[in-house]
Amino acid sequence: MANQDQKFRERASVMFGRPSMRKAPRAGAGGLCSCFDGCFSALMGFPADQVAGGVTYADPQPLEPMETCIPWAELGPERKAGVKHVEVGSGAKECAVGWVNQDATTACAPPGNGEATGDFSAGTTHDGSLFFCVFDGHGKLGHEVAAVAAERLPAHLAAQPGGPLAAPKKSIEAAFRKTDDDIYQSLGPRVEYSGSTG
């Protein structure tokens, strides 16, 4: 478990890979320190002694195929029951010439008919859950990071044994970690200085 915690700390923010960010930012240290940097240093601490030159990333690799969730527009009325209104979209900034929208959204449901059926031990069940996600990409390739997250996070949630509602906290943590792995695997070293909130 200690290795997983260390791996998480090292990858919680790609700022850890920046050669200029060797130590936790301190007020008055003379360098720039954002709110984000301060939050992560307070919550998770900074990894100890990194390899000289920062973190190394593996080359990009294709992602394993996953069963995708059913988009909101394709869901039947029985799956949408109880939800009054859903609008999925993101607008352009009219005043920013050359701006690339780095947002990604998804509204979907796990495959199946929404009933809690299937093989619970194999994790092939569906619990009627619906997923509504917004990802705000940041950095040069933030739009790519957000797109991977929007596709993969709901699929990882849907693949949780017993469905994501059987153990919500555990399901969300596992799905975020797997999505994080997918982002690093698909982008490789290009991910540095890019990310997404979700």
Side-chain angles (χ1 to χ4, degrees):
M1 187 67 171
N3 284 343
Q4 279 186 322
D5 288 342
Q6 182 64 22
K7 182 179 178 182
F8 182 85
R9 284 189 189 119
E10 290 173 357
R11 290 181 23 198
S13 167
V14 292
M15 65 173 262
F16 294 139
R18 295 181 186 174
S20 62
M21 297 295 286
R22 291 281 179 239
K23 298 178 182 168
R26 306 250 187 262
L32 295 175
C33 177
S34 71
C35 175
F36 182 79
D37 297 340
C39 289
F40 266 98
S41 66
L43 293 173
M44 303 178 71
F46 279 70
D49 302 328
Q50 296 178 351
V51 177
V55 173
T56 58
Y57 301 96
D59 289 333
Q61 301 292 320
L63 297 174
E64 294 291 324
M66 293 186 72
E67 187 172 16
T68 58
C69 292
I70 304 167
W72 183 259
E74 296 175 20
L75 292 175
E78 68 283 351
R79 296 286 297 271
K80 295 179 180 181
V83 179
K84 297 193 184 281
H85 179 77
V86 172
E87 184 175 333
V88 179
S90 180
K93 292 182 181 176
E94 295 175 8
C95 61
V97 178
W99 176 78
V100 174
N101 185 350
Q102 293 191 309
D103 298 343
T105 59
T106 189
C108 59
N113 295 321
E115 69 282 351
T117 61
D119 181 354
F120 282 86
S121 63
T124 55
T125 63
H126 308 288
D127 56 12
S129 54
L130 298 170
F131 306 131
F132 302 95
C133 309
V134 177
F135 299 93
D136 182 11
H138 301 281
K140 185 176 181 180
L141 298 176
H143 57 291
E144 290 185 35
V145 174
V148 171
E151 178 186 335
R152 303 293 283 197
L153 182 66
H156 284 302
L157 281 168
Q160 292 299 307
L165 297 180
K169 183 179 187 290
K170 183 178 176 182
S171 295
I172 290 170
E173 287 175 357
F176 268 89
R177 287 181 190 268
K178 289 177 181 178
T179 302
D180 189 51
D181 289 341
D182 290 343
I183 291 166
Y184 278 82
Q185 181 178 334
S186 66
L187 294 174
R190 297 180 322 127
V191 75
E192 192 167 37
Y193 302 112
S194 297
S196 178
T197 57

